[in-house]
Structures are given as C-alpha cells and as structure tokens.
Amino acid sequence: MERERGDRGGRAEQGGRAEPGGRAERSERVERAESAERAERSERAERSERGVDGGPGPGGAGAVARGEHTHSETPIPRPRTLVQRASVRGQILDALRTALVTGELTPGAVYSAPALGERFGVSATPVREAMQQLALEGAVEVVPNRGFRVVERGARELAELAEVRALIEVPVMLRLARTVSVERWAELRPLAEATVRAASSGCRATYAESDRSFHRAVLGFCGNEQLVQLADDLHRRAQWPLVGPVRVSGRGQADLLADAAEHMALLDALIARDLDVVRSLVGEHFAGAR
C-alpha cells in the first residue's frame, strides 16, 4: 500500500511538473495564431484601401457599387488594353494628318467623329481623341454638338510660320555648321536622299514626313529636345494646305523636287564646311517655304 501511494505521488509530481510546460506550449501556439490573424487583418485592410478584389477602396468594385466617382483615381494598369488603344489612336492620328496634308479633309469643312470612324472602320472614340490632339496642334477646332472644323489658313499665316521657323532654325544650323563633324553630317545622307525619292513619288504626305525627318535630324545635333519639338510642330503646321486659289493644286511635284534638291545641296555644303553656301541655302530654303 505504501509503495502504491508512493508511485501515485511520484506520478502526480511528474504530472505537476509537466503541466507548466504544456501551458507554455499552448500559450505559444495561441500567440502565433493571434499574430497570424493580426497580419491577415492588416493585409485585408491594405488591399481594401487599394481597392483590390472588389474592396471598398477608391478604385475597387466596392466604390463603384456605392456609386462613388472614381475618375480622379489612378486606375490599375492594363498594358495590353492600353497598348492596343494607343495603337489605334496613333494610327488614326497619322491617317488624319495625312488627310490634312493631301487636302482630303477640306479646310472649313466640319467632320464628326462617328462619320470619320465609319470611314476608317473604327469606333468614334479613337477618332475623337485624335481630333482633340489635332485641335491642340491648331489643325482643327471643336464645333459643339457637330464635330471638328478644319482650320482655314491663308498665305499670310504660311509666311508667318516660315518667318518663325527661320528665326529658330537658321541660327542653330549656322552654329552646327561650325561645330558638328563631317562624319556626323555624312550620316544624314540617307535622310536627304529619302526626301528626293519621296518628292519623285509626287505624294505630298510621304514627302511631308521625310521632309520633317531630315530637319529633325539636322536640329537634333544641337541636343535641345525642346527646340527640336517646337521646330517640328511649326514645320508640321506649315505643311497643311491653304485656302483660296493657291490651294487648288497645292505644292506640285516640281516644288517638292526643288525642296528636296535644297536638302541635298545643304548637306553637301555642311559636309564641305562652306559656311557662306550654308547661310545662303538656309535663307533660300525658308524663303521658298513662304
């Protein structure tokens, strides 16, 4: 009996000593569970603020469900959709610019986005966006509830554009003629030759693009991107068709060939470092653009 009581006492003592260890282990498990729960709550709150997975954040579906305005929030980027949208808009913008240069879009006429969209086989949205860009460039103006009117331009505006272009480009070209190496000028030979081929085709739109490419490359040697962009914008505006008698045929193939020949002569003078010829050719080039 005594031995049995001793055994039971020993087992009780062992159990009593093991119990504090069990409580510590259970406490540790509870603490880990609470920590994980706090982390999960924090993550849910963060995702909700970002509006992810339909959360109540400003950009989530919850906000839309409540009817909140989300247009001022930065949307979650969707690269494929945006690239496709930008690509369509860019293609329409290029097509409209070509139509402006060739005179297909008549100065003074009003065009609606749906009608132009049907013409290009797209919805009205990318057409409207492209026309709004052209409005910023001064090619068209918005006509409320109707569409966009192609701006009418006269010889005086063309002369003013040529004067402004000369004020910007001539000093830069003369400075570059003294500082840019012969090797770098020679790199522009393919661009100058491209203007000759474009002029030979008789397509004003093709020539307009090659003409601007050559001028951008020349001015690009100055390293001033703002100047290059400004000059290019003015150059593009100078290529739009005029109204009145001068618009009947626009710039004919002979005019385009003469303009392209000046590019070749100018590049030859730059490579030869003949500053007097460069100065004369640059002056004639802009005078002929009026």
Side-chain angles (χ1 to χ4, degrees), residues 104-141:
E104 293 179 49
L105 293 182
T106 308
V110 177
Y111 299 89
S112 69
L116 289 172
E118 184 176 354
R119 171 182 175 180
F120 293 116
V122 298
S123 68
T125 299
V127 175
R128 188 175 293 108
E129 292 174 347
M131 293 296 275
Q132 287 170 347
Q133 175 60 38
L134 291 176
L136 292 175
E137 296 175 4
V140 300
E141 56 188 11

Short mmCIF file of all heavy atoms in Angstrom, two decimals, residues 104-141:
data_model
loop_
_atom_site.label_atom_id
_atom_site.label_comp_id
_atom_site.label_asym_id
_atom_site.label_seq_id
_atom_site.Cartn_x
_atom_site.Cartn_y
_atom_site.Cartn_z
N GLU A 104 -7.55 65.99 -98.33
CA GLU A 104 -8.76 65.17 -98.27
C GLU A 104 -9.73 65.72 -97.24
O GLU A 104 -10.95 65.61 -97.40
CB GLU A 104 -8.40 63.72 -97.95
CG GLU A 104 -7.62 63.01 -99.04
CD GLU A 104 -7.28 61.59 -98.64
OE1 GLU A 104 -8.18 60.87 -98.18
OE2 GLU A 104 -6.10 61.21 -98.76
N LEU A 105 -9.19 66.26 -96.16
CA LEU A 105 -10.02 66.96 -95.18
C LEU A 105 -10.03 68.44 -95.60
O LEU A 105 -9.02 69.13 -95.48
CB LEU A 105 -9.46 66.80 -93.77
CG LEU A 105 -9.51 65.38 -93.19
CD1 LEU A 105 -8.97 65.36 -91.77
CD2 LEU A 105 -10.92 64.81 -93.23
N THR A 106 -11.14 68.88 -96.09
CA THR A 106 -11.24 70.20 -96.71
C THR A 106 -11.23 71.31 -95.66
O THR A 106 -12.01 71.26 -94.70
CB THR A 106 -12.54 70.31 -97.52
OG1 THR A 106 -12.61 69.20 -98.42
CG2 THR A 106 -12.57 71.60 -98.31
N PRO A 107 -10.37 72.32 -95.81
CA PRO A 107 -10.38 73.45 -94.89
C PRO A 107 -11.76 74.11 -94.84
O PRO A 107 -12.37 74.35 -95.87
CB PRO A 107 -9.33 74.40 -95.49
CG PRO A 107 -8.39 73.49 -96.22
CD PRO A 107 -9.25 72.42 -96.79
N GLY A 108 -12.23 74.36 -93.64
CA GLY A 108 -13.53 74.97 -93.44
C GLY A 108 -14.65 73.97 -93.26
O GLY A 108 -15.73 74.31 -92.76
N ALA A 109 -14.44 72.71 -93.66
CA ALA A 109 -15.48 71.69 -93.53
C ALA A 109 -15.51 71.15 -92.11
O ALA A 109 -14.50 71.13 -91.40
CB ALA A 109 -15.23 70.56 -94.53
N VAL A 110 -16.70 70.68 -91.71
CA VAL A 110 -16.90 70.11 -90.38
C VAL A 110 -17.05 68.60 -90.51
O VAL A 110 -17.82 68.12 -91.36
CB VAL A 110 -18.15 70.71 -89.69
CG1 VAL A 110 -18.37 70.04 -88.33
CG2 VAL A 110 -17.98 72.21 -89.51
N TYR A 111 -16.32 67.87 -89.68
CA TYR A 111 -16.37 66.41 -89.71
C TYR A 111 -16.71 65.90 -88.32
O TYR A 111 -16.14 66.37 -87.32
CB TYR A 111 -15.03 65.83 -90.16
CG TYR A 111 -14.61 66.25 -91.55
CD1 TYR A 111 -13.86 67.40 -91.76
CD2 TYR A 111 -14.98 65.49 -92.66
CE1 TYR A 111 -13.48 67.79 -93.03
CE2 TYR A 111 -14.60 65.86 -93.94
CZ TYR A 111 -13.86 67.02 -94.12
OH TYR A 111 -13.48 67.40 -95.38
N SER A 112 -17.62 64.93 -88.26
CA SER A 112 -17.99 64.34 -86.97
C SER A 112 -17.15 63.11 -86.72
O SER A 112 -16.72 62.42 -87.67
CB SER A 112 -19.47 63.97 -86.95
OG SER A 112 -19.73 62.88 -87.82
N ALA A 113 -16.92 62.80 -85.44
CA ALA A 113 -16.13 61.61 -85.09
C ALA A 113 -16.80 60.32 -85.56
O ALA A 113 -16.11 59.44 -86.08
CB ALA A 113 -15.90 61.59 -83.57
N PRO A 114 -18.13 60.17 -85.41
CA PRO A 114 -18.76 58.93 -85.90
C PRO A 114 -18.60 58.74 -87.41
O PRO A 114 -18.34 57.63 -87.88
CB PRO A 114 -20.23 59.11 -85.51
CG PRO A 114 -20.21 60.02 -84.34
CD PRO A 114 -19.10 60.98 -84.62
N ALA A 115 -18.73 59.82 -88.18
CA ALA A 115 -18.60 59.71 -89.63
C ALA A 115 -17.18 59.33 -90.02
O ALA A 115 -16.96 58.47 -90.89
CB ALA A 115 -19.00 61.02 -90.30
N LEU A 116 -16.19 59.94 -89.37
CA LEU A 116 -14.80 59.61 -89.66
C LEU A 116 -14.47 58.19 -89.18
O LEU A 116 -13.70 57.48 -89.82
CB LEU A 116 -13.86 60.62 -89.00
CG LEU A 116 -13.85 62.02 -89.61
CD1 LEU A 116 -13.03 62.97 -88.75
CD2 LEU A 116 -13.30 61.98 -91.03
N GLY A 117 -15.08 57.80 -88.05
CA GLY A 117 -14.87 56.45 -87.56
C GLY A 117 -15.37 55.41 -88.54
O GLY A 117 -14.72 54.39 -88.76
N GLU A 118 -16.52 55.68 -89.14
CA GLU A 118 -17.06 54.77 -90.14
C GLU A 118 -16.14 54.70 -91.36
O GLU A 118 -15.94 53.65 -91.95
CB GLU A 118 -18.46 55.23 -90.56
CG GLU A 118 -19.16 54.30 -91.54
CD GLU A 118 -20.57 54.75 -91.85
OE1 GLU A 118 -21.04 55.73 -91.22
OE2 GLU A 118 -21.20 54.14 -92.74
N ARG A 119 -15.57 55.84 -91.70
CA ARG A 119 -14.65 55.88 -92.84
C ARG A 119 -13.41 55.03 -92.60
O ARG A 119 -12.93 54.34 -93.51
CB ARG A 119 -14.26 57.33 -93.11
CG ARG A 119 -13.15 57.51 -94.13
CD ARG A 119 -12.80 58.97 -94.30
NE ARG A 119 -11.68 59.18 -95.18
CZ ARG A 119 -11.16 60.36 -95.49
NH1 ARG A 119 -11.71 61.45 -95.00
NH2 ARG A 119 -10.12 60.46 -96.30
N PHE A 120 -12.89 55.08 -91.36
CA PHE A 120 -11.67 54.34 -91.05
C PHE A 120 -11.95 52.94 -90.49
O PHE A 120 -11.02 52.19 -90.21
CB PHE A 120 -10.82 55.12 -90.04
CG PHE A 120 -10.25 56.39 -90.59
CD1 PHE A 120 -10.62 57.63 -90.07
CD2 PHE A 120 -9.34 56.37 -91.63
CE1 PHE A 120 -10.09 58.80 -90.57
CE2 PHE A 120 -8.80 57.55 -92.14
CZ PHE A 120 -9.18 58.77 -91.62
N GLY A 121 -13.22 52.61 -90.30
CA GLY A 121 -13.56 51.29 -89.80
C GLY A 121 -13.30 51.10 -88.32
O GLY A 121 -12.97 50.00 -87.88
N VAL A 122 -13.41 52.19 -87.54
CA VAL A 122 -13.20 52.11 -86.10
C VAL A 122 -14.34 52.83 -85.40
O VAL A 122 -15.18 53.47 -86.04
CB VAL A 122 -11.85 52.74 -85.68
CG1 VAL A 122 -10.69 52.00 -86.31
CG2 VAL A 122 -11.81 54.23 -86.06
N SER A 123 -14.37 52.75 -84.08
CA SER A 123 -15.39 53.46 -83.32
C SER A 123 -15.07 54.95 -83.29
O SER A 123 -13.99 55.39 -83.69
CB SER A 123 -15.47 52.93 -81.89
OG SER A 123 -14.29 53.26 -81.18
N ALA A 124 -16.01 55.71 -82.78
CA ALA A 124 -15.83 57.16 -82.74
C ALA A 124 -14.82 57.60 -81.69
O ALA A 124 -14.23 58.68 -81.79
CB ALA A 124 -17.17 57.85 -82.47
N THR A 125 -14.58 56.75 -80.68
CA THR A 125 -13.73 57.17 -79.56
C THR A 125 -12.29 57.48 -79.98
O THR A 125 -11.78 58.57 -79.68
CB THR A 125 -13.73 56.10 -78.45
OG1 THR A 125 -15.08 55.94 -77.97
CG2 THR A 125 -12.84 56.51 -77.30
N PRO A 126 -11.57 56.57 -80.66
CA PRO A 126 -10.19 56.92 -81.05
C PRO A 126 -10.13 58.07 -82.03
O PRO A 126 -9.16 58.84 -82.04
CB PRO A 126 -9.66 55.62 -81.67
CG PRO A 126 -10.85 54.85 -82.08
CD PRO A 126 -11.91 55.18 -81.07
N VAL A 127 -11.17 58.22 -82.86
CA VAL A 127 -11.21 59.35 -83.80
C VAL A 127 -11.35 60.65 -83.02
O VAL A 127 -10.66 61.64 -83.29
CB VAL A 127 -12.37 59.20 -84.79
CG1 VAL A 127 -12.48 60.44 -85.67
CG2 VAL A 127 -12.17 57.97 -85.65
N ARG A 128 -12.23 60.64 -82.04
CA ARG A 128 -12.43 61.85 -81.24
C ARG A 128 -11.16 62.23 -80.49
O ARG A 128 -10.79 63.41 -80.41
CB ARG A 128 -13.59 61.63 -80.25
CG ARG A 128 -14.01 62.89 -79.51
CD ARG A 128 -15.24 62.64 -78.65
NE ARG A 128 -16.42 62.35 -79.46
CZ ARG A 128 -16.98 61.16 -79.58
NH1 ARG A 128 -16.45 60.12 -78.92
NH2 ARG A 128 -18.04 60.97 -80.32
N GLU A 129 -10.47 61.23 -79.95
CA GLU A 129 -9.22 61.50 -79.24
C GLU A 129 -8.16 62.07 -80.18
O GLU A 129 -7.43 62.99 -79.82
CB GLU A 129 -8.71 60.21 -78.59
CG GLU A 129 -9.59 59.72 -77.45
CD GLU A 129 -9.14 58.37 -76.92
OE1 GLU A 129 -8.30 57.72 -77.60
OE2 GLU A 129 -9.62 57.95 -75.85
N ALA A 130 -8.08 61.52 -81.39
CA ALA A 130 -7.10 62.01 -82.37
C ALA A 130 -7.44 63.43 -82.80
O ALA A 130 -6.56 64.28 -82.95
CB ALA A 130 -7.07 61.07 -83.58
N MET A 131 -8.71 63.70 -83.01
CA MET A 131 -9.12 65.05 -83.41
C MET A 131 -8.87 66.07 -82.31
O MET A 131 -8.53 67.22 -82.58
CB MET A 131 -10.60 65.05 -83.81
CG MET A 131 -10.91 64.26 -85.08
SD MET A 131 -10.11 64.95 -86.56
CE MET A 131 -11.31 66.19 -87.04
N GLN A 132 -9.02 65.64 -81.07
CA GLN A 132 -8.71 66.54 -79.95
C GLN A 132 -7.22 66.88 -79.93
O GLN A 132 -6.84 68.01 -79.60
CB GLN A 132 -9.15 65.90 -78.64
CG GLN A 132 -10.66 65.86 -78.46
CD GLN A 132 -11.10 65.02 -77.29
OE1 GLN A 132 -10.32 64.24 -76.72
NE2 GLN A 132 -12.36 65.13 -76.90
N GLN A 133 -6.38 65.91 -80.30
CA GLN A 133 -4.95 66.19 -80.40
C GLN A 133 -4.68 67.18 -81.52
O GLN A 133 -3.88 68.12 -81.38
CB GLN A 133 -4.18 64.89 -80.65
CG GLN A 133 -2.69 65.07 -80.89
CD GLN A 133 -1.98 65.71 -79.72
OE1 GLN A 133 -2.30 65.43 -78.57
NE2 GLN A 133 -1.01 66.58 -80.00
N LEU A 134 -5.36 67.01 -82.64
CA LEU A 134 -5.20 67.94 -83.76
C LEU A 134 -5.70 69.33 -83.38
O LEU A 134 -5.18 70.34 -83.87
CB LEU A 134 -5.95 67.43 -84.99
CG LEU A 134 -5.35 66.18 -85.65
CD1 LEU A 134 -6.24 65.71 -86.80
CD2 LEU A 134 -3.94 66.45 -86.16
N ALA A 135 -6.71 69.38 -82.53
CA ALA A 135 -7.21 70.68 -82.06
C ALA A 135 -6.14 71.38 -81.22
O ALA A 135 -5.96 72.60 -81.32
CB ALA A 135 -8.49 70.49 -81.25
N LEU A 136 -5.42 70.61 -80.41
CA LEU A 136 -4.33 71.18 -79.61
C LEU A 136 -3.23 71.71 -80.51
O LEU A 136 -2.56 72.70 -80.20
CB LEU A 136 -3.77 70.14 -78.65
CG LEU A 136 -4.69 69.69 -77.50
CD1 LEU A 136 -4.02 68.57 -76.71
CD2 LEU A 136 -5.01 70.86 -76.59
N GLU A 137 -3.03 71.05 -81.66
CA GLU A 137 -1.98 71.46 -82.60
C GLU A 137 -2.43 72.60 -83.49
O GLU A 137 -1.62 73.17 -84.22
CB GLU A 137 -1.58 70.26 -83.46
CG GLU A 137 -0.95 69.12 -82.67
CD GLU A 137 -0.66 67.90 -83.54
OE1 GLU A 137 -0.89 67.99 -84.77
OE2 GLU A 137 -0.21 66.88 -82.99
N GLY A 138 -3.72 72.94 -83.44
CA GLY A 138 -4.22 74.04 -84.24
C GLY A 138 -4.69 73.67 -85.63
O GLY A 138 -4.99 74.54 -86.44
N ALA A 139 -4.80 72.36 -85.91
CA ALA A 139 -5.22 71.94 -87.24
C ALA A 139 -6.74 71.99 -87.40
O ALA A 139 -7.25 72.23 -88.50
CB ALA A 139 -4.72 70.52 -87.53
N VAL A 140 -7.45 71.72 -86.31
CA VAL A 140 -8.91 71.76 -86.34
C VAL A 140 -9.39 72.52 -85.12
O VAL A 140 -8.63 72.78 -84.18
CB VAL A 140 -9.51 70.33 -86.36
CG1 VAL A 140 -9.05 69.55 -87.57
CG2 VAL A 140 -9.16 69.58 -85.07
N GLU A 141 -10.67 72.85 -85.13
CA GLU A 141 -11.28 73.48 -83.97
C GLU A 141 -12.58 72.77 -83.65
O GLU A 141 -13.27 72.26 -84.54
CB GLU A 141 -11.54 74.97 -84.23
CG GLU A 141 -12.37 75.26 -85.45
CD GLU A 141 -12.44 76.74 -85.77
OE1 GLU A 141 -11.66 77.50 -85.15
OE2 GLU A 141 -13.25 77.13 -86.63
#
